[in-house]
Amino acid sequence: MKENKNKYHEESGDIVEIENNKIPRGHVTLVGLGRLGIRTGINLTQVHRGGPLRITAIDSQKISEGDLIFRMRGGENGRYKVDLLHDLRGIKEVEPIREDINQENLDLLEGDVVCVEIAGGNTIPITAAIIKQAHKIGARTISTAGVFGIGEEEIRAMDISQAPQDNPVANELKQQGINSDHTLVTTGKFIRDWEPVTPYVLDEVAGKITMEILKLLRDVK
C-alpha cells in the first residue's frame, strides 16, 4: 500500500509539471472583427491550458444597431468593436487597433499567425496584400473563402493549393499570387448562392478557424 501511495504522489508531481508547461504561447493578429471575427476572438480568449499568449485585433468599425452579436455580449452602440474584445479578454493579452488595414499601413501586421476575416465589397486585393506581408514577416496565414450557409454545409479547411477549381475566392487569390502556404476555411457557399449567412453557421466557421489557428501555433516556441 505504501509503495502505491508513493507512486501516486510521483505521478501527481508529473501531472503538475505537465500542467505548468501547458502555457499560452504565440501571437495571433485578427484582421477584421465583424460578426465572424468577434466569434473567433472570443473563442481564442477562452482557450485554457494553451492557446495564444497575445491577440491583436485590427478593425475601425463601431458597434451599430444591427450588430446583435456585439450587443448581446455587452457592447454599446458607437463603441469600437475591437474594444469589446479587449473588455472580454479575461486573462489574455488583447491589443485593440482602431484602424482598417490598407496598402499604407501593412506594417501594423505582426505575430505568428495572421487571420483575415474582412467582408464587404471586393476584399480580395487587400486580403492578398495582407497575406503577402504576413509571409514576409514569417507569419502563417488563414482566411475565409465563402461562409454562407443554413447549416447543412460541410465546413472545410484546406491549403489554397487544394481548393476546388470552382471556388471563386480561391481563384481570385491565386490571380493575386497566393498559390500555396495559406489556409482557407469555407462552407463552399458564396454570395452568388441563395443561402444567407446564419449565426449558427458563423459559430461553426469560427470554431473551425480557431482550431486551425491553434494547429498553426503548435510549433511556436
Side-chain angles (χ1 to χ4, degrees), residues 64-126:
S64 63
E65 194 68 25
D67 291 318
L68 296 182
I69 183 67
F70 293 87
R71 294 172 54 218
M72 289 166 61
R73 286 162 172 76
E76 300 176 359
N77 287 354
R79 291 199 66 211
Y80 285 100
K81 293 180 177 180
V82 293
D83 289 343
L84 177 62
L85 183 61
H86 179 265
D87 293 346
L88 297 173
R89 67 192 183 279
I91 62 173
K92 297 287 187 182
E93 179 183 348
V94 174
E95 177 189 8
I97 297 181
R98 305 170 191 90
E99 297 183 44
D100 286 331
I101 286 287
N102 55 55
Q103 297 285 353
E104 307 302 320
N105 63 1
L106 290 170
D107 59 333
L108 288 174
L109 298 171
E110 55 181 345
D112 302 292
V113 179
V114 173
C115 176
V116 186
E117 297 171 286
I118 55 179
N122 183 10
T123 61
I124 298 296
I126 188 60

Side-chain angles (χ1 to χ4, degrees), residues 23-95:
I23 60 175
R25 65 189 69 216
H27 180 186
V28 176
T29 293
L30 302 176
V31 183
L33 208 74
R35 291 176 176 84
L36 179 59
I38 189 64
R39 286 171 161 87
T40 304
I42 291 173
N43 285 350
L44 290 171
T45 61
Q46 293 186 93
V47 175
H48 184 55
R49 294 295 188 195
L53 176 65
R54 180 182 173 197
I55 301 168
T56 296
I58 304 176
D59 197 313
S60 73
Q61 288 194 345
K62 296 180 179 180
I63 299 169
S64 63
E65 194 68 25
D67 291 318
L68 296 182
I69 183 67
F70 293 87
R71 294 172 54 218
M72 289 166 61
R73 286 162 172 76
E76 300 176 359
N77 287 354
R79 291 199 66 211
Y80 285 100
K81 293 180 177 180
V82 293
D83 289 343
L84 177 62
L85 183 61
H86 179 265
D87 293 346
L88 297 173
R89 67 192 183 279
I91 62 173
K92 297 287 187 182
E93 179 183 348
V94 174
E95 177 189 8

Side-chain angles (χ1 to χ4, degrees), residues 106-159:
L106 290 170
D107 59 333
L108 288 174
L109 298 171
E110 55 181 345
D112 302 292
V113 179
V114 173
C115 176
V116 186
E117 297 171 286
I118 55 179
N122 183 10
T123 61
I124 298 296
I126 188 60
T127 298
I130 292 167
I131 294 168
K132 291 175 183 178
Q133 176 65 20
H135 287 174
K136 282 183 182 179
I137 64 172
R140 309 290 294 277
T141 55
I142 182 170
S143 67
T144 58
V147 296
F148 288 76
I150 60 171
E152 300 173 333
E153 300 75 18
E154 177 187 4
I155 299 167
R156 299 178 58 199
M158 69 200 77
D159 188 81

